[in-house]
Amino acid sequence: MNHKMNLFPEPFEMISSGQKTIELRLNDEKRQKIQIGDIIEFSQKETKERLTAKVVGLHRYNSFSELYNELPLLSCGYTEADISEAKPEDMDLYYTPEQQSKYGVLGIEIKVVG
């Protein structure tokens, strides 16, 4: 199955370069359909540039607090420069605490294929 997701420029470049290998999302109805082996087409929001990645792992959690305790944050879009400041509340910019509580969260492990 193929999926489409939009990304801001910085995470798009991090995925493109191979630095970011886990995309963090709300585990809503759309993301619950994702399975290992599926293809995700990422579009950069500003330039509309695209890249394709294969789903190689799925990490489901009840909250970003759990996810941040379990997954390697350097693979999730943080860098050595900002890793010391990383906190689950960073994801509140994208998803409300109510949404996170309702759906849970997902770390989508990917490998760029094109």
Side-chain angles (χ1 to χ4, degrees):
M1 183 179 240
N2 290 340
H3 308 274
K4 294 181 185 288
M5 294 185 195
N6 293 314
L7 290 171
F8 288 104
E10 186 177 10
F12 184 90
E13 291 307 318
M14 292 176 90
I15 288 174
S16 181
S17 72
Q19 181 180 351
K20 180 177 180 180
T21 58
I22 301 175
E23 174 61 14
L24 306 182
R25 295 287 172 134
L26 191 69
N27 196 25
D28 58 10
E29 291 94 347
K30 180 179 176 183
R31 261 52 97 178
Q32 290 171 16
K33 296 176 183 172
I34 298 173
Q35 297 181 28
I36 292 174
D38 286 358
I39 298 296
I40 299 174
E41 181 183 82
F42 290 102
S43 297
Q44 204 261 43
K45 284 185 172 211
E46 294 176 6
T47 65
K48 307 300 182 207
E49 184 181 352
R50 300 179 191 284
L51 66 82
T52 304
K54 183 175 184 173
V55 177
V56 296
L58 294 168
H59 308 277
R60 293 180 179 89
Y61 297 95
N62 292 320
S63 68
F64 282 113
S65 292
E66 288 180 19
L67 183 150
Y68 274 50
N69 285 330
E70 296 287 325
L71 295 182
L73 296 180
L74 289 174
S75 298
C76 296
Y78 288 97
T79 65
E80 292 289 349
D82 62 15
I83 191 77
S84 64
E85 303 294 319
K87 58 190 181 306
E89 293 78 18
D90 294 344
M91 296 306 293
D92 291 354
L93 292 170
Y94 308 102
Y95 309 112
T96 67
E98 293 79 19
Q99 289 174 310
Q100 296 172 41
S101 179
K102 179 177 179 181
Y103 294 108
V105 302
L106 181 64
I108 307 167
E109 196 166 347
I110 53 173
K111 179 176 174 48
V112 174
V113 294

